[in-house]
């Protein structure tokens, strides 16, 4: 049946990992960020194909547990850490690495069974002011953690708030971070994708890459190809119906688009329940048989309408590319007033994932 699917290219993820590694300083390794099911690409598949990455990170404990249950042996860091004794015991049971970003998490470790062996990364707030220990909390935190024989500190990390667009803010954060770690022999990690690609790091042991690993640019003024990245997914759907449409008639819910000429509309079987954004405006391009046509009218739950004009030979069953494969995800995100992260993570379960593993 011609239902929408997401085509994921694993070879491009490997290519992106190599490219990103070449942009980091020597001896810098990558932490592959595979939260939210690897931004929709399949966390298990992504960690199985990227041989050059040995540490992965997810947001939540349950994401890490699922990967361990599926047999992943590589290290997995939980960005938000744990807040209860039960969750701490689960992390230990599955050998997950926790983030320590607050004093209450440090208190939790006092009840650690003596035979346990917990690895952690300490998170420092260098200026984003979301999660992380303040500079005046850090020394105490590190000395408590170091005194616990069953806890091993794997490193200190921090997170940029605006590495894609604010040099001043990022420089301030980088300086705060460097001041803090410069006299310590400890693993460090400051950048995400945008910071790595901008060169906002001096020395660091690990760069944490998500979006760029999947071949998408974090910058609003650059596409992935400008950066040498290869987009690792295409969202595909099929034409359900081709219909004549009269000049002056509206299309779809609320009739927000009215045709100024007689035309043909292709109705395509994809909608916001699949993760194609309802905010995509009339004029957002799709690709049918290699030709760009505009979306018209509102995106509905399961369908969109495309104005294919009077001369096209578009027919029922034709394949439609919503993004990827010549249609940058970054551009579609702009047309829908969202960021590429939202598009990638929004593709719903109803959309099947297919994998390929060679570069064209
Ligand atoms: C999601 C996340 C990243 C990855 O960010 P990208 O912009 O996708 O590279 C890195 N670090 C932390 C703490 C994150 O939450």
């Amino acid at each position: 049946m011609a239902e929408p699917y997401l085509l994921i290219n694993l070879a491009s993820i490997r290519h992106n990992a190599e490219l990103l590694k070449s942009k980091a300083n020597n001896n810098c390794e990558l932490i592959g960020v595979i939260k939210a099911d690897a931004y929709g690409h399949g966390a298990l598949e992504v960690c199985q194909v990227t041989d050059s990455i040995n540490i992965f990170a997810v947001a939540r404990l349950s994401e890490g547990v699922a990967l361990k249950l599926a047999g992943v042996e590589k290290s997995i860091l939980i960005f938000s850490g744990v807040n209860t004794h039960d969750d701490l015991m689960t992390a230990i049971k599955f050998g997950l690495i926790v983030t320590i970003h607050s004093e209450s998490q440090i208190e939790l470790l006092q009840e650690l069974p003596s035979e346990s062996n917990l690895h952690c990364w300490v998170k420092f707030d260098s200026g984003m002011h979301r999660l992380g220990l303040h500079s005046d909390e850090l020394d105490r935190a590190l000395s408590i953690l170091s005194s616990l024989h069953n806890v091993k500190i794997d490193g200190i990390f921090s997170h940029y708030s605006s590495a894609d667009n604010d040099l001043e803010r990022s420089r301030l954060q980088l300086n705060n971070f460097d001041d803090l770690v410069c006299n310590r022999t400890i693993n460090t990690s400051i950048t995400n994708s945008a910071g790595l690609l901008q060169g906002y790091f001096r020395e660091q042991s690990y760069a944490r890459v998500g979006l760029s690993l999947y071949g998408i640019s974090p910058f609003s003024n650059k596409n992935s190809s400008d950066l040498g990245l290869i987009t690792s997914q295409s969202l595909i759907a099929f034409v359900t119906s081709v219909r004549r449409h009269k000049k002056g008639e509206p299309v779809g819910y609320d009739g927000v688009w009215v045709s100024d000429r007689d035309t043909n509309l292709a109705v395509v079987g994809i909608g916001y329940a699949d993760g194609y954004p309802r905010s995509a405006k009339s004029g957002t391009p799709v690709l049918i048989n290699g030709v760009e046509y505009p979306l018209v009218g509102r995106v509905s739950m399961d369908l969109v309408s495309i104005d294919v004009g009077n001369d096209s030979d578009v027919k029922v069953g034709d394949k439609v590319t919503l993004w990827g494969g010549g249609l940058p995800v970054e551009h579609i995100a702009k047309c829908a007033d969202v960021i590429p992260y939202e598009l990638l993570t929004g593709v719903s379960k109803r959309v099947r994932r297919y994998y390929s593993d060679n570069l064209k």
Side-chain angles (χ1 to χ4, degrees):
M1 223 192 305
E3 299 199 351
Y5 65 90
L6 193 64
L7 184 61
I8 295 159
N9 186 294
L10 297 169
S12 68
I13 297 177
R14 273 198 299 273
H15 161 92
N16 297 329
E18 291 311 313
L19 184 99
L20 292 165
K21 222 174 146 188
S22 75
K23 307 241 179 209
N25 48 310
N26 284 341
N27 308 320
C28 178
E29 301 288 328
L30 300 182
I31 294 180
V33 180
I34 53 170
K35 58 193 178 188
D37 208 18
Y39 297 36
H41 295 76
L44 186 58
E45 287 79 2
V46 171
C47 57
Q48 280 167 343
V49 296
T50 38
D51 295 336
S52 62
I53 302 181
N54 292 313
I55 306 185
F56 291 93
V58 292
R60 302 192 183 143
L61 182 65
S62 61
E63 298 180 292
V65 169
L67 288 167
K68 289 293 177 188
L69 285 173
V72 172
E73 286 176 3
K74 292 180 177 180
S75 300
I76 297 174
L77 168 65
I78 313 295
F79 276 148
S80 40
V82 292
N83 277 326
T84 66
H85 182 73
D86 283 355
D87 284 356
L88 177 62
M89 295 315 290
T90 302
I92 290 170
K93 176 175 166 200
F94 288 97
L96 296 163
I97 306 168
V98 297
T99 297
I100 301 288
H101 56 70
S102 69
E103 293 191 326
S104 67
Q105 290 179 320
I106 295 174
E107 272 163 41
L108 208 61
L109 302 187
Q110 312 290 338
E111 311 158 16
L112 213 56
S114 94
E115 73 284 5
S116 47
N117 173 25
L118 179 73
H119 285 247
C120 68
W121 273 79
V122 174
K123 184 167 194 183
F124 166 61
D125 177 10
S126 60
M128 176 152 175
H129 306 320
R130 190 181 56 180
L131 289 182
L133 292 159
H134 296 290
S135 49
D136 58 0
E137 294 171 327
L138 205 92
D139 276 325
R140 199 178 88 90
L142 290 176
S143 71
I144 297 175
L145 291 171
S146 314
S147 72
L148 298 171
H149 72 278
N150 41 15
V151 175
K152 160 114 187 3
I153 306 170
D154 285 355
I156 299 185
F157 78 104
S158 192
H159 194 47
Y160 283 130
S161 66
S162 328
D164 57 327
N165 60 24
D166 189 341
L167 172 61
E168 280 311 303
R169 187 83 208 154
S170 305
R171 190 175 285 149
L172 180 88
Q173 288 195 250
L174 179 57
N175 288 340
N176 287 344
F177 186 71
D178 278 354
D179 287 350
L180 195 101
V181 297
C182 63
N183 290 321
R184 305 175 204 266
T185 43
I186 192 162
N187 284 326
T188 55
S189 174
I190 174 77
T191 64
N192 54 2
S193 296
L196 177 63
L197 293 163
Q198 302 270 41
Y200 296 167
F201 54 88
R202 295 193 184 101
E203 288 294 316
Q204 62 173 344
S205 327
Y206 291 93
R208 307 183 308 279
V209 290
L211 195 70
S212 57
L213 188 61
Y214 309 112
I216 310 286
S217 163
F219 309 114
S220 62
N221 60 349
K222 281 192 184 117
N223 281 338
S224 52
S225 53
D226 302 330
L227 300 165
L229 298 167
I230 304 176
T231 300
S232 53
Q233 66 165 257
S234 307
L235 181 62
I236 307 292
F238 295 90
V239 175
T240 302
S241 172
V242 180
R243 336 179 51 243
R244 284 297 292 163
H245 183 80
K246 285 216 174 324
K247 176 177 174 172
E249 289 295 319
V251 175
Y253 287 117
D254 306 328
V256 292
W257 181 85
V258 176
S259 184
D260 60 7
R261 57 169 165 57
D262 288 356
T263 187
N264 290 311
L265 298 184
V267 182
V268 177
I270 194 157
Y272 61 79
D274 302 297
Y276 189 79
R278 185 170 177 277
S279 55
K281 294 186 275 287
S282 291
T284 301
V286 307
L287 272 180
I288 311 178
N289 304 328
V291 180
E292 276 191 24
Y293 297 101
L295 174 100
V296 294
R298 281 232 205 288
V299 172
S300 30
M301 190 184 287
D302 318 300
L303 298 167
V304 294
S305 298
I306 309 298
D307 182 1
V308 294
N310 288 307
D311 308 324
S312 85
D313 51 9
V314 171
K315 57 189 186 309
V316 171
D318 281 357
K319 198 162 120 178
V320 182
T321 303
L322 287 310
W323 64 64
L327 208 52
V329 177
E330 296 89 336
H331 181 61
I332 305 304
K334 268 194 198 139
C335 294
D337 293 324
V338 297
I339 55 174
Y341 297 83
E342 289 179 80
L343 294 185
L344 300 186
T345 58
V347 177
S348 73
K349 267 199 184 141
R350 190 165 80 167
V351 177
R352 287 191 65 170
R353 269 72 170 165
Y354 290 103
Y355 291 90
S356 73
D357 200 358
N358 42 50
L359 289 178
K360 280 178 243 115

